Amino acid sequence: MSLLIIEIVKGHEQPVPRTVQRGTDKQRDVYDQRAYMYNGGAFPQEFRLSFDAHTDCLPVGKYVLDPLSFQAGRWGDLELKRNLVLKPAQPHELSKAS
């Protein structure tokens, strides 16, 4: 069984704030954090995780998707929830991913 490993890399873990528009006159700040996924390619692929608060950002380390990250969609298809739930990868999970 393969697992999707997601890594927050030292030196690239600082979140970047940005303001998003909600409706016509409401704004809020979100914090984007760079992450890297090991999806079977020669190199990890960079993507971003968005958080509502700076304090929600993840520390450096490797993570796996918790099953709470998935849901059945409106039409019965598989969907990822907007707010992914990541848990620290355990050594046995890292060996399965190799």
Side-chain angles (χ1 to χ4, degrees):
M1 175 171 130
S2 271
L3 296 172
L4 176 65
I5 302 296
I6 295 170
E7 185 172 12
I8 305 298
V9 177
K10 185 168 181 62
H12 301 273
E13 74 273 19
Q14 292 304 315
V16 176
R18 69 182 165 98
T19 303
V20 295
Q21 192 74 31
R22 289 187 95 179
T24 56
D25 57 342
K26 291 186 179 184
Q27 293 181 338
R28 69 181 180 99
D29 291 330
V30 295
Y31 298 86
D32 291 338
Q33 187 177 33
R34 280 192 278 178
Y36 301 85
M37 67 176 150
Y38 295 84
N39 59 356
F43 301 100
Q45 185 173 358
E46 183 179 322
F47 70 102
R48 77 171 184 224
L49 294 167
S50 293
F51 297 95
D52 291 328
H54 182 275
T55 55
D56 293 337
C57 294
L58 298 170
V60 170
K62 291 185 178 181
Y63 298 86
V64 294
L65 284 172
D66 189 285
L68 293 172
S69 296
F70 302 96
Q71 66 187 13
R74 182 176 179 185
W75 308 109
D77 51 347
L78 178 66
E79 289 182 350
L80 281 172
K81 291 183 177 178
R82 179 175 130 29
N83 294 318
L84 299 179
V85 179
L86 298 173
K87 63 180 186 173
Q90 301 301 310
H92 69 277
E93 293 172 318
L94 295 173
S95 65
K96 286 181 186 179
S98 303

